[in-house]
Amino acid sequence: MPEISNVGGMDAETFAAFTSQLERYVRERLIPAEPQVIADDRIPDDILAEMREMGLFGITMPEQYGGAGMNISQYVETIRLLSYALPAYRSITSINIGMVCSALMKSGTPEQKAHWLPRLAAGAIASFALTEPGSGSDAAAMQTRAVRDGNGYVLTGTKRYITNAPFAKVALVMARTSVEPLPKNAHVSAFLVPMDTPGITVGKPDRKMGQQGSQIADIILEDVKVPGDALLGGEEGKGFMAAMQSLDNGRLSVGAAAAGYAKRALDTALRYATERKAFGEPIANFQLIQAMLADSQAEIYASECMIADACRLADEGKRVSIEAASAKMFASEMCGRVVDRCVQIHGGAGYLAEYEAERFFRDARIYRIYEGTTQILQLVIAKTMLREFAAQH
Ligand code: COS
């Protein structure tokens, strides 16, 4: 495992104590509860209460706001360890500690930070509302409107596939403050909207291929009146930048989720290979099985190193769009290969719902899609490369 930077974060000893507590909690509590979470398609309230108690919703919020003050390296490492268990456990916390905390810390006014960060740290669940029925990868083409109304705004539109929408207390909603598209996507602004504001309805949770226990749904906004101080940073036109900065952060988190889950799949495959016998001996003795195990191990290690390096740069205050996109792209594609090998090593059993390999395979598929598809990440990486090349020649 690469070393985790503690620059600007928790002291290394406290972090080490936290991670060993978390690893134990994952092993002894979260993994045994997985069948129940899958059956109910939600995390039971007692586990949510424990996760709040452990401070898992507030790890990135500064201590003055009731959080644990982790830096990006430590928060992303926490996500990696948590993601050894069912992805739903990461989903429920990650929007708070990744996307919304990052947007508030980078762009929020002092009053917005003072109001929202303690609530998020205490476990009020947040959503990040960017995607719409007609705009996913093409995020800036959103149709949701925010029209000035006295001192405030009226929001109208539909946000789609919004993680945690059925449980959320607050959503960071990106909306157009100008009908016409503006340079650098300055027609987009971001709003902190309490989910009990009149005019908001949440659709029925969508049925998905995997990731049971994590719920996504539409957020429908019909003439939703918000005060002027709901505008993130108090300034129009900064919403796209805030969303993209949060996505850099979120992409590190998805990369870590993919790396953590790949490790779970590999450990499961390793155990199965030593137990299952064919031709009179454990299949782990066969070199073609060993090749699949070894490739998986090497690729997981590579993704852990990429993620740790990108996090270290982010903690030094650098813009990490390329590194975050690269780490997320590599880790999610790698996780897809590892869960596929896990099924292959299980043979026929890998196709059965009775074994975990089948579920790993379904759960992992979304990592290559959300918070930037592999194809969008290729564009993000190439665009910056080409721009830097042009500037040098
Ligand atoms: N950090 C800071 N500022 C950023 C930024 C970042 N990571 N990304 C963009 N900006 C700001 C900059 O000001 C940028 O202008 P410069 O590049 O000249 O500095 C401006 O925003 C416009 O950015 P860009 O030119 O990249 O906008 P595009 O419309 O070309 O963006 C992509 C296109 C496809 C890259 C973007 O829409 C995207 O990432 N889409 C995927 C969205 C996504 O991940 N959705 C999943 C939702 S969460 S489940």
Side-chain angles (χ1 to χ4, degrees):
M1 240 327 283
E3 204 176 312
I4 302 303
S5 156
N6 71 334
V7 174
M10 243 182 194
D11 72 87
E13 212 173 299
T14 316
F15 182 66
F18 172 81
T19 53
S20 68
Q21 182 201 4
L22 177 64
E23 283 180 295
R24 203 169 47 248
Y25 184 65
V26 163
R27 227 177 22 248
E28 292 173 5
R29 182 74 169 125
L30 298 185
I31 291 180
E34 286 177 353
Q36 189 193 343
V37 175
I38 293 169
D40 300 349
D41 198 18
R42 61 179 298 146
I43 300 172
D45 289 341
D46 53 347
I47 291 191
L48 274 180
E50 289 161 13
M51 290 172 74
R52 288 193 173 97
E53 184 69 22
M54 277 177 79
L56 282 171
F57 286 86
I59 57 174
T60 48
M61 287 71 173
E63 282 168 274
Q64 72 193 96
Y65 299 113
M70 284 187 194
N71 65 11
I72 295 172
S73 301
Q74 293 168 334
Y75 127 70
V76 169
E77 175 63 359
T78 301
I79 290 289
R80 192 183 70 82
L81 297 174
L82 184 61
S83 301
Y84 194 77
L86 195 73
Y89 299 119
R90 179 197 85 99
S91 269
I92 199 81
T93 55
S94 66
I95 314 293
N96 281 45
I97 59 182
M99 316 290 277
V100 178
C101 177
S102 157
L104 273 164
M105 289 305 293
K106 283 215 162 91
S107 313
T109 62
E111 294 74 26
Q112 287 168 339
K113 289 181 195 172
H115 182 78
W116 285 113
L117 289 173
R119 289 170 168 76
L120 294 171
I125 292 166
S127 279
F128 183 83
L130 175 68
T131 299
E132 298 191 357
S135 69
S137 290
D138 187 7
M142 66 183 63
Q143 293 303 314
T144 296
R145 288 292 325 270
V147 179
R148 266 177 191 278
D149 175 44
N151 288 333
Y153 293 85
V154 177
L155 274 60
T156 310
T158 299
K159 295 292 176 180
R160 179 140 297 171
Y161 309 146
I162 305 304
T163 301
N164 297 339
F167 315 117
K169 292 277 181 260
V170 59
L172 185 68
V173 178
M174 268 53 70
R176 298 177 88 96
T177 35
S178 154
V179 181
E180 295 305 319
L182 296 176
K184 298 208 171 208
N185 299 320
H187 53 280
V188 180
S189 301
F191 296 86
L192 288 151
V193 185
M195 289 293 283
D196 58 1
T197 312
I200 296 187
T201 45
V202 174
K204 227 169 102 211
D206 294 300
R207 297 182 61 224
K208 315 187 281 340
M209 178 191 285
Q211 302 242 346
Q212 266 62 45
S214 163
Q215 296 198 7
I216 62 170
D218 282 2
I219 297 181
I220 302 129
L221 303 124
E222 284 171 309
D223 293 328
V224 175
K225 286 192 174 56
V226 294
D229 60 13
L231 176 65
L232 183 73
E235 214 183 323
E236 288 184 11
K238 299 281 182 216
F240 188 79
M241 190 167 62
M244 291 301 125
Q245 284 174 340
S246 297
L247 279 171
D248 284 347
N249 189 303
R251 286 168 186 165
L252 291 168
S253 165
V254 174
Y261 213 42
K263 179 90 174 70
R264 168 80 178 274
L266 178 57
D267 289 350
T268 307
L270 188 62
R271 192 175 325 109
Y272 187 81
T274 58
E275 288 166 0
R276 169 76 182 171
K277 289 200 169 114
F279 307 103
E281 53 186 318
I283 61 170
N285 290 355
F286 302 125
Q287 290 180 338
L288 294 179
I289 297 286
Q290 289 177 8
M292 287 193 270
L293 295 172
D295 284 351
S296 301
Q297 170 60 29
E299 291 188 80
I300 291 171
Y301 179 55
S303 73
E304 288 170 353
C305 290
M306 287 174 83
I307 293 163
D309 187 61
C311 289
R312 187 180 51 77
L313 293 170
D315 280 326
E316 287 170 8
K318 307 220 166 79
R319 178 167 165 181
V320 293
S321 301
I322 285 199
E323 291 81 2
S326 305
K328 192 273 192 184
M329 178 173 81
F330 183 83
S332 60
E333 294 286 337
M334 172 283 288
C335 185
R337 291 190 290 274
V338 172
V339 295
D340 187 61
R341 290 181 197 125
C342 180
V343 171
Q344 197 68 15
I345 289 169
H346 279 71
Y351 203 68
L352 302 186
E354 197 186 323
Y355 291 81
E356 288 177 328
E358 176 264 358
R359 183 249 285 178
F360 298 155
F361 187 80
R362 287 184 291 103
D363 285 348
R365 191 62 184 85
I366 191 64
Y367 293 138
R368 288 152 64 191
I369 298 171
Y370 65 15
E371 287 179 47
T373 60
T374 290
Q375 291 67 32
I376 285 297
L377 300 178
Q378 288 172 321
L379 296 183
V380 169
I381 297 164
K383 185 174 161 181
T384 316
M385 283 167 65
L386 291 167
R387 191 192 279 181
E388 284 172 5
F389 181 82
Q392 285 160 12
H393 293 82

